[in-house]
């Protein structure tokens, strides 16, 4: 896990996070019925490069695009293409950007036009569970305090926490140790210290928590075809509490 060594490193990583946040700001305006996921990807990459940053995902282990765009039953790692978003869909957009040697990483699940109330409830629960976890990103807390808070919030509202995919440390590398599950008992794992940076990302299914990977070897879908949602922020531990690096 990275521990930022100076205020300068914190500022660099904060700017990487702001670039990611600006991409999401753009995605909110573009996610409408009729747009393709490839068009979203092209606009995201254009904005990232306009800020003298590079897309963290493009080429990562061979991934062919700058964002992950995962629709409806697709949980994560969806490859942008000619799929047209339609009224009532939900789409998870995961964005990473590298600036001056450091990464920012954030995901939001967006409604496409008007969506079913059950889909909106899934989005609301998943997003709020992220903030329940962030609340526990405090010096001297244990890492699993974050995981436990997310699980308790989601399961009290009948959501299913995905077990196969987890959050991670982040810094000079996109994925660093430790892994950060969205489930588990409190009071376990390393103590959080100022300077540590975490990518916290609850992934929640409306049905079973089980998932599978499609034949493209990237796209992860719910095993039972149920809807799913994914929210993520990059968070720094500071003396004053959690700092959301991927917010404007």
């Amino acid at each position: 896990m990275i521990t930022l060594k100076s205020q300068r490193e914190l500022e660099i990583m904060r700017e990487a996070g702001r670039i990611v946040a600006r991409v999401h700001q753009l995605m909110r305006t573009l996610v409408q019925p009729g747009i393709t996921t490839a068009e979203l990807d092209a606009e995201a990459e254009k904005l990232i490069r306009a800020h003298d940053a590079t897309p963290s995902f493009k080429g990562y282990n061979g991934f062919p695009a700058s964002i992950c765009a995962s629709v409806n039953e697709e949980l994560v790692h969806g490859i942008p293409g000619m799929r047209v978003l339609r009224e009532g869909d939900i789409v998870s957009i995961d964005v990473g950007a590298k600036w001056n040697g450091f990464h920012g990483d954030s995901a939001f699940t967006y409604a496409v036009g008007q969506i079913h109330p059950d889909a909106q409830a899934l989005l609301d629960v998943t997003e709020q569970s992220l903030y329940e976890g962030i609340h526990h990103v405090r010096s001297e807390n244990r890492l699993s305090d974050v995981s436990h808070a997310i699980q308790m919030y989601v399961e009290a509202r009948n959501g299913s926490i995905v077990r196969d995919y987890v959050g991670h440390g982040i810094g000079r590398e996109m994925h660093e140790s430790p892994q950060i599950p969205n489930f588990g008992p409190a009071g376990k794992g390393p103590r959080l210290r100022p300077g540590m940076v975490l990518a916290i990302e609850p992934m929640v299914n409306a049905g079973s928590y089980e998932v599978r990977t499609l034949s493209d070897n990237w796209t992860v879908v719910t095993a039972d075809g149920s809807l799913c949602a994914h929210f993520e922020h990059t968070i720094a531990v500071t003396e004053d509490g959690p700092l959301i690096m991927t917010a404007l």
Side-chain angles (χ1 to χ4, degrees):
M1 180 196 304
I2 189 170
T3 300
L4 298 175
K5 297 178 175 63
S6 67
Q7 184 64 29
R8 174 61 178 156
E9 287 189 351
L10 179 67
E11 290 169 357
I12 291 172
M13 201 159 182
R14 181 73 176 93
E15 182 56 27
R18 286 193 187 99
I19 293 167
V20 169
R22 292 183 189 113
V23 175
H24 277 294
Q25 189 176 52
L26 176 63
M27 294 296 102
R28 286 185 188 93
T29 68
L30 295 179
V31 171
Q32 300 287 341
I35 197 167
T36 67
T37 54
E39 288 171 322
L40 294 174
D41 181 66
E43 292 300 319
E45 180 170 355
K46 185 189 303 183
L47 184 57
I48 291 168
R49 295 193 185 279
H51 285 89
D52 295 321
T54 56
S56 299
F57 302 161
K58 194 164 192 177
Y60 184 81
N61 291 333
F63 190 76
S66 295
I67 64 171
C68 300
S70 309
V71 183
N72 294 335
E73 77 283 358
E74 297 172 353
L75 178 70
V76 289
H77 306 160
I79 300 173
M82 298 314 296
R83 182 169 184 168
V84 177
L85 297 181
R86 303 194 182 282
E87 185 88 14
D89 286 342
I90 59 175
V91 56
S92 169
I93 298 178
D94 197 352
V95 179
K98 185 179 184 181
W99 188 78
N100 275 14
F102 288 88
H103 294 270
D105 185 12
S106 178
F108 287 83
T109 304
Y110 296 99
V112 182
Q114 295 295 314
I115 63 174
H116 193 279
D118 289 347
Q120 186 62 58
L122 174 65
L123 267 58
D124 292 344
V125 166
T126 309
E127 183 172 20
Q128 185 56 40
S129 76
L130 170 60
Y131 292 102
E132 296 292 323
I134 290 171
H135 177 74
H136 289 79
V137 179
R138 298 180 184 277
S139 184
E140 301 303 319
N141 277 2
R142 296 282 189 180
L143 185 64
S144 75
D145 295 340
V146 176
S147 308
H148 185 71
I150 292 169
Q151 181 181 16
M152 290 300 97
Y153 186 85
V154 169
E155 292 184 349
R157 290 155 183 83
N158 300 314
S160 296
I161 291 285
V162 172
R163 266 61 174 174
D164 292 12
Y165 295 88
V166 299
H168 51 92
I170 182 171
R172 291 189 180 277
E173 300 296 330
M174 186 68 205
H175 293 104
E176 300 187 355
S177 61
Q179 292 191 341
I180 309 169
N182 297 301
F183 60 93
K188 305 291 184 181
R191 289 198 184 276
L192 301 180
R193 308 289 189 193
M196 291 179 173
V197 187
L198 312 172
I200 301 170
E201 48 181 323
M203 289 160 263
V204 178
N205 296 348
S208 163
Y209 67 78
E210 295 174 324
V211 296
R212 62 185 179 88
T213 304
L214 297 184
S215 58
D216 63 13
N217 294 320
W218 282 106
T219 309
V220 177
V221 301
T222 57
D224 59 8
S226 62
L227 290 180
C228 49
H230 174 211
F231 285 82
E232 176 185 23
H233 270 308
T234 299
I235 313 295
V237 184
T238 78
E239 296 283 4
D240 300 320
L243 173 63
I244 301 176
M245 309 281 266
T246 43
L248 293 175

